[in-house]
Amino acid sequence: MEPADLAAIEAERARIRDRHLTADRPASSARGVHHVALLSSDVERTVRFYQDLLEFPLTEMIENRDYQGSTHFFFDLGNGNLLAFFDFPGLDLGPYAEVLGGLHHVAISVEPATWHRLRDKIVAAGVDHQEESGTSIYFRDPDGARLELIADPLGEMYGTSVA
């Protein structure tokens, strides 16, 4: 693999930014994220991880309308946002993998005091993690999906507005 041409990458980023990022942009047609859906190999283990460790309350469990026997379940992320899961019993799903068009990570904003408390719980639970900039902690759920807890407010990234 050849090293990346960082100057060319930055020039392309600048070209795209100049062409598409405008201060007078229209309002979005979207209301927000209703839910992001991930896959679970074990419903109860997933509930223990997200509700007991991360303190995201389980809000509902229903049968998946598209696959009989599959459970569709939801966790409250605040502000009307939900993190959802499906299990697919009987399907031989492979392990989590980062692929083009796939999930890189889900970043979830929490208050700074909550961030510290959850970081301490993650450490105490022995969950492998990486801290960045004193405001982000990255780790994987039991099925390998990468998560980030970030102490920055919604719409900010490291003190800069991104909304």
Side-chain angles (χ1 to χ4, degrees), residues 134-150:
T135 60
S136 290
I137 184 169
Y138 295 89
F139 54 97
R140 293 187 183 275
D141 82 355
D143 286 305
R146 188 185 333 220
L147 303 169
E148 174 188 9
L149 295 181
I150 185 167

Side-chain angles (χ1 to χ4, degrees), residues 37-50 61 67 69-75 84-91 93-94 96 141-145:
L38 303 176
L39 300 176
S40 167
S41 64
D42 182 319
V43 173
E44 187 167 5
R45 181 180 69 177
T46 300
V47 169
R48 286 193 311 263
F49 185 84
Y50 284 91
M61 295 182 81
Y67 186 83
S70 170
T71 302
H72 194 187
F73 53 110
F74 301 82
F75 296 93
F85 288 85
F86 292 107
D87 71 333
F88 291 114
L91 294 183
L93 300 177
Y96 175 84
D141 82 355
D143 286 305

Side-chain angles (χ1 to χ4, degrees), residues 100-147:
L100 289 177
L103 176 74
H104 183 268
H105 74 279
V106 176
I108 300 166
S109 176
V110 296
E111 293 290 333
T114 303
W115 186 89
H116 288 283
R117 184 179 71 253
L118 294 177
R119 181 200 58 200
D120 292 348
K121 287 178 72 173
I122 288 165
V123 170
V127 175
D128 189 34
H129 65 280
Q130 177 182 347
E131 288 185 47
E132 292 292 334
S133 305
T135 60
S136 290
I137 184 169
Y138 295 89
F139 54 97
R140 293 187 183 275
D141 82 355
D143 286 305
R146 188 185 333 220
L147 303 169

Side-chain angles (χ1 to χ4, degrees), residues 14 29 34 36 65-66 83-84 94 96 105 110 123 126 137 159:
S29 63
H34 185 280
V36 173
R65 67 181 176 207
D66 303 323
L83 184 61
Y96 175 84
H105 74 279
V110 296
V123 170
I137 184 169

